[in-house]
């Protein structure tokens, strides 16, 4: 399986599993907690067929990447992303993140600069302040009832007006993959949400940005997330996907892909 090394811990080397298809301008997809790179299936085909090199990967502790014990803070996750860009010699990239993956992208730019990046897409960006009640409740549940928590979160990710709009077999598929992740990765990555939104990271995003958001996102409503990010990133535009929830790239892939591909063409 294709892998890149991102560090070691005692006698254990840590690697990221990735997939790399197509030719042309590179688009690197960064999944959000607790999903894996398989959550981008509807994007991979569409972007490759429109002339892009498409790279997806599993963050440490999830999917087919190493189940590391440490390194689930946003600084380390951003470093992992940059090591991927370096190892695959990716330049002129568009980085596309979903939910917490957006924070990894902006931290990567703030830490490593934008010499390898031409544009970013921040989809349903996660904005959580320290002490947030939602985060506290999720963390309590994650430590006591991890799989039921994931079940509930993935229902909310894909719900509009209280009803899940993603077909149940697909939701169960992503729930299974999320449940197979390291329990330590699940809880530590969740705790790191408190550090996803640094105003300095957003203000330092010096490449064109698209904020794409489900208009009916009940998990992270646009007014408290996408709108905040749009106001902080100097060169940004926003697209709201009608009747779409938090995970709009899975539930409304045609509209979502059209918005992102249009931005990349422009």
């Amino acid at each position: 399986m294709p892998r890149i090394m991102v560090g070691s811990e005692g006698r254990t080397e840590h690697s990221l599993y990735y997939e790399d298809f197509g030719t042309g301008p590179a688009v690197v997809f960064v999944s959000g907690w607790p999903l894996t790179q398989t959550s981008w299936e509807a994007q991979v085909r569409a972007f490759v067929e429109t002339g892009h090199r498409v790279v997806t990967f599993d963050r440490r502790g999830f999917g087919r990447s190493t189940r590391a014990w440490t390194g689930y803070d946003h600084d380390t996750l951003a470093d992992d992303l940059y090591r991927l860009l370096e190892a695959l010699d990716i330049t002129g990239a568009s980085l596309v993140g979903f939910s917490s993956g957006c924070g990894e992208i902006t931290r990567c730019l703030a830490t490593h600069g934008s010499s390898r990046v031409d544009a970013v897409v921040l989809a349903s960006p996660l904005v959580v302040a320290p002490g947030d009640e939602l985060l506290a409740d999720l963390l309590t549940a994650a430590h006591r009832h991890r799989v039921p928590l994931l079940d509930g979160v993935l229902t909310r990710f894909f719900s509009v007006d209280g009803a899940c709009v993603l077909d149940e077999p697909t939701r169960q598929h992503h729930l299974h993959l999320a449940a197979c992740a390291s329990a330590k990765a699940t809880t530590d990555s969740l705790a790191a949400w408190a550090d996803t939104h640094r105003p300095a990271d957003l203000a330092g995003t010096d490449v064109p940005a698209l904020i794409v958001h489900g208009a009916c996102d009940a998990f992270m409503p646009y007014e408290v997330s996408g709108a905040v990010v749009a106001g902080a990133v100097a060169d940004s535009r926003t697209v709201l996907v009608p009747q779409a929830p938090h995970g709009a790239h899975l539930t409304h892939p045609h509209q979502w892909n059209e918005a992102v591909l249009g931005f990349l063409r422009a």
Side-chain angles (χ1 to χ4, degrees), residues 5-18:
M5 303 305 300
V6 293
S8 61
E9 195 173 57
R11 296 182 297 275
T12 303
E13 292 185 329
H14 296 319
S15 63
L16 303 181
Y17 171 82
Y18 71 91

Side-chain angles (χ1 to χ4, degrees), residues 185-234:
T186 302
T187 54
D188 284 11
S189 297
L190 184 58
W193 280 15
D195 189 37
T196 55
H197 176 59
R198 285 187 187 175
D201 291 354
L202 297 175
T205 300
D206 58 355
V207 296
L210 172 69
I211 292 89
V212 57
H213 209 107
C216 297
D217 187 339
F219 185 80
M220 192 62 53
Y222 175 74
E223 293 76 17
V224 300
S225 58
V228 173
V229 173
V233 177

Side-chain angles (χ1 to χ4, degrees), residues 91-155:
T91 57
S94 298
L95 304 182
V96 181
F98 165 66
S99 196
S100 62
C102 298
E104 293 167 34
I105 288 174
T106 56
R107 184 67 51 82
C108 181
L109 293 178
T111 305
H112 298 284
S114 57
S115 62
R116 293 182 176 271
V117 180
D118 282 355
V120 297
V121 176
L122 306 176
S124 306
L126 187 73
V127 176
V128 176
D132 185 278
E133 290 185 7
L134 169 65
L135 177 57
D137 290 345
L138 291 176
L139 275 171
T140 298
H143 284 285
R144 296 178 180 175
H145 310 287
R146 185 175 67 95
V147 175
L149 163 76
L150 294 170
D151 190 12
V153 165
L154 290 183
T155 298

Side-chain angles (χ1 to χ4, degrees), residues 162-258:
C164 187
V165 295
L166 184 68
D167 65 272
E168 185 60 12
T170 300
R171 195 191 71 85
Q172 287 290 338
H173 169 66
H174 291 294
L175 172 60
H176 170 73
L177 293 175
C180 287
S182 156
K184 183 73 158 43
T186 302
T187 54
D188 284 11
S189 297
L190 184 58
W193 280 15
D195 189 37
T196 55
H197 176 59
R198 285 187 187 175
D201 291 354
L202 297 175
T205 300
D206 58 355
V207 296
L210 172 69
I211 292 89
V212 57
H213 209 107
C216 297
D217 187 339
F219 185 80
M220 192 62 53
Y222 175 74
E223 293 76 17
V224 300
S225 58
V228 173
V229 173
V233 177
D235 185 4
S236 68
R237 57 172 291 193
T238 299
V239 173
L240 295 178
V241 181
Q243 299 300 311
H246 190 62
H249 64 293
L250 279 131
T251 60
H252 293 65
H254 177 73
Q255 298 96 312
W256 195 96
N257 291 350
E258 187 176 69

